Amino acid sequence: MLKARVTLDPAAVVAPVSRRTFGSFVEHMGRCVYTGIYEPGHPLADEDGFRTDVLALTRELGVTTVRYPGGNFVSGYRWEDGVGPRERRPRRRDLAWHSIETNEVGIDEFARWAAKADVEIMYAVNLGTRGVQEALDVHEYVNQPTGTHLADLRARHGAEKPYGIRMWCLGNELDGPWQLGHKTAQEYGRLAAATAQALRAAEPGLHLVACGSSGSSMPTFGAWEATVLEHTYDLVDSVSCHAYYEEHNGDLGSFLASATDMDHFVDSVVATADSVGARLRSRKKIQLSFDEWNVWYLSRFQNQPPLTRWDVAPPVIEDEYNVADAVVVGSLLISLLRHSDRVTAACQAQLVNVIAPIRTEPGGPAWRQTIFHPFARTAALARGDVLRTAVDAPVYETARYGEAALVDAVATHDAASGDVALFAVNRDLTRPVELTVDLRAFGPPRRPAGSWTLCDDDVRATNTRDRPDRVTLRPAGEVTADGNTATVTLPPVSWTAVRLAAR
Ligand code: AHR
């Protein structure tokens, strides 16, 4: 059998696990909001019209932070359309997704949903068609204690207490030619700096995120981050990263190695940010907010015929995920955790229906897609510190990313409980790998206290409305531990989590 080895040391700490790593994204796009989180006529809707089945799944997923209200949508959004009496809210064209926005849900409703889901809001302001004043206005509406015009308006709309939103995205993907209000790096850098300065004057201590390039394959990648950070370095905390992966032309081997690209992406943005910091003679380190990541079959989307109608909440990019997609999602989480010293927030895009771990049918059930499982398990088990995880594994050649390790892994250690959580993927298409975990540095032995694997003889198997649990987690084959080492067999094309508890 193929063999791999992981060596762990409680002293080799990357950083504490940031709870914000387990963020998600709710955009006014397709059926994410309408018939996703919100469907007043649904038999399971609560008094506010929120689907309680989706709320329960959101909590089960372990989501901590939710980016809102977009995405491309935000670059043409007027936040004030979504507040006040519903019957007076305007219907508007959403030019990003060519649909009608009814504004039935706005920030007040979303804040109520977020409280029920027990998640923090990461709010994105419109720096596409709007600017500093509108960012200040929405900030006053959501965060200012009563006593000013817009704070009092919020109170009149039913929310006396400010929402206390800490994380603010300064626009979305503004280097993308598809973006309303698309800008050059100079234009955006200046606007982001002015907006950041104004928001800081309104409320010190906010966590501000400048837009990075919308993808590492953009011609602007690298130069965009450098220019934007030259304008904003002292004013923002993070720069954003967005990445979507898919299997191209049946090349499963490359697809399974997608996390090597994410590793490279993160390292490149860190290097760019640090070089700006060095030029500015700053000791500050810019953090990365990986606030859009997932598997997305973007090539299928681009081949869709152009939209010719204006519908309310039409189904858009409702990708159905298979076993291999879930393994990739698990491995992307491994990459994000591994970089916890710099990636301090991340949002899987999106939460419901739109390239999402949760699917719903209008008037019908909600179910977990395959990608739900590695996310939920990782969010539940990753505690304490991320450990620098040395992996010794065979390698294989991929057409897209060059050489990749057959096994990738990361571990966390919770010093309070003594628990170790290990997350691992086997990228081999046909062969299992015996993984040995070297725990000698821990001293007192650890015992296996739970294991979960996602794999299937059919890597194309999916969950559907009629077979919602076709793909789920199962206990990993026997996990043995002899005190100083633990051994687990990773099936081909699989994601596995193991909990090792202090005796
Ligand atoms: O998540 C879907 C879309 O992908 C978002 O609206 C946009 O920011 C990105 O291009």
Side-chain angles (χ1 to χ4, degrees):
M1 199 190 306
L2 289 171
K3 289 185 191 307
R5 193 177 183 87
V6 161
T7 307
L8 301 179
D9 179 346
V13 171
V14 175
V17 175
S18 167
R19 297 316 303 166
R20 283 179 174 158
T21 305
F22 304 106
S24 188
F25 180 27
V26 167
E27 176 166 6
H28 283 251
M29 172 180 176
R31 300 194 307 112
C32 188
V33 172
Y34 305 109
T35 72
I37 64 168
Y38 175 80
E39 191 180 341
H42 192 277
L44 296 175
D46 68 9
E47 66 288 358
D48 291 318
F50 298 126
R51 288 185 62 146
T52 53
D53 51 353
V54 173
L55 274 169
L57 287 173
T58 302
R59 286 189 287 260
E60 183 186 323
L61 190 58
V63 168
T64 51
T65 308
V66 179
R67 185 163 173 252
Y68 176 84
N72 295 347
F73 170 79
V74 81
S75 295
Y77 181 52
R78 303 177 222 207
W79 68 271
E80 62 275 26
D81 286 349
V83 301
R86 279 215 173 97
E87 62 285 3
R88 285 201 239 130
R89 297 187 193 176
R91 284 164 72 91
R92 298 267 192 203
R93 295 174 307 183
D94 163 20
L95 298 177
W97 302 111
H98 200 89
S99 49
I100 294 294
E101 173 56 53
T102 64
N103 284 304
E104 246 180 282
V105 171
I107 184 58
D108 292 314
E109 289 78 21
F110 187 70
R112 269 203 293 286
W113 179 85
K116 291 179 186 194
D118 195 20
V119 299
E120 175 194 15
I121 300 172
M122 179 195 288
Y123 193 82
V125 299
N126 174 358
L127 292 189
T129 59
R130 302 189 123 186
V132 179
Q133 185 59 58
E134 294 90 347
L136 280 174
D137 287 349
V138 69
H139 174 271
E140 180 185 337
Y141 186 85
V142 298
N143 271 15
Q144 184 73 25
T146 50
T148 67
H149 174 66
L150 290 171
D152 291 347
L153 186 63
R154 179 196 67 237
R156 284 205 297 285
H157 293 158
E160 173 76 21
K161 251 182 80 195
Y163 299 133
I165 298 175
R166 311 309 314 154
M167 274 197 94
W168 291 74
C169 301
L170 304 173
N172 178 70
E173 293 191 350
L174 283 149
D175 67 332
W178 57 86
Q179 204 71 215
L180 280 178
H182 163 227
K183 292 177 174 43
T184 65
Q186 290 284 357
E187 289 165 347
Y188 172 71
R190 285 176 62 95
L191 178 58
T195 309
Q197 196 176 12
L199 288 173
R200 292 233 177 276
E203 186 179 356
L206 298 177
H207 186 113
L208 301 182
V209 185
C211 288
S213 178
S214 46
S216 63
S217 60
M218 293 292 291
T220 33
F221 180 65
W224 172 275
E225 279 81 357
T227 305
V228 167
L229 286 174
E230 269 153 22
H231 285 284
T232 58
Y233 203 87
D234 290 334
L235 291 163
V236 302
D237 302 282
S238 295
V239 63
S240 71
C241 303
H242 292 180
Y244 293 101
Y245 296 96
E246 67 182 300
E247 184 181 342
H248 294 273
N249 308 317
D251 180 3
L252 185 54
S254 292
F255 179 49
L256 290 168
S258 298
T260 62
D261 183 71
M262 184 181 253
D263 288 339
H264 183 64
F265 186 164
V266 169
D267 293 344
S268 306
V269 177
V270 166
T272 306
D274 288 354
S275 87
V276 176
R279 278 206 298 281
L280 298 174
R281 292 165 183 77
S282 173
R283 285 170 180 264
K284 174 178 172 177
K285 293 282 184 213
I286 294 288
Q287 301 163 47
L288 271 54
S289 172
F290 219 118
D291 47 41
E292 286 189 33
W293 68 269
N294 207 351
V295 171
W296 174 5
Y297 285 85
L298 198 51
S299 51
R300 292 181 203 160
F301 174 63
Q302 280 165 343
N303 293 338
Q304 277 181 359
L307 295 165
T308 49
R309 300 193 336 218
W310 294 93
D311 291 335
V312 175
V316 183
I317 54 169
E318 301 199 354
D319 288 7
E320 190 170 276
Y321 292 112
N322 62 33
V323 171
D325 299 329
V327 172
V328 169
V329 161
S331 67
L332 295 174
L333 280 164
I334 289 173
S335 171
L336 291 168
L337 279 172
R338 173 167 40 243
H339 292 101
S340 292
D341 52 339
R342 298 302 287 266
V343 179
T344 53
C347 303
Q348 189 183 35
Q350 300 187 3
L351 180 67
V352 194
N353 291 327
V354 177
I355 45 171
I358 302 171
R359 277 289 292 273
T360 67
E361 190 179 84
W367 64 96
R368 301 167 191 81
Q369 293 232 60
T370 58
I371 62 170
F372 184 100
H373 297 292
F375 188 110
R377 244 328 77 200
T378 308
L381 290 176
R383 289 281 178 280
D385 293 323
V386 180
L387 300 183
R388 196 160 293 118
T389 308
V391 185
D392 184 9
V395 294
Y396 71 115
E397 199 53 35
T398 71
R400 227 179 156 78
Y401 305 119
E403 195 174 83
L406 274 181
V407 170
D408 196 13
V410 75
T412 63
H413 173 228
D414 183 6
S417 65
D419 279 12
V420 173
L422 176 81
F423 308 96
V425 286
N426 175 8
R427 295 172 172 142
D428 196 88
L429 302 187
T430 52
R431 294 169 297 176
V433 177
E434 185 187 88
L435 178 66
T436 300
V437 189
D438 185 333
L439 297 158
R440 277 173 300 178
F442 281 85
R446 298 290 183 279
R447 69 182 162 79
S451 66
W452 301 263
T453 288
L454 191 137
C455 64
D456 201 281
D457 290 342
D458 177 7
V459 295
R460 310 287 172 198
T462 60
N463 291 340
T464 58
R465 177 202 187 282
D466 296 327
R467 288 192 78 186
D469 295 320
R470 163 72 183 79
V471 179
T472 184
L473 296 178
R474 57 178 90 152
E478 203 192 351
V479 183
T480 57
D482 70 358
N484 288 327
T485 57
T487 304
V488 57
T489 300
L490 309 176
V493 191
S494 65
W495 173 90
T496 298
V498 178
R499 182 173 156 240
L500 297 157
R503 279 187 201 279

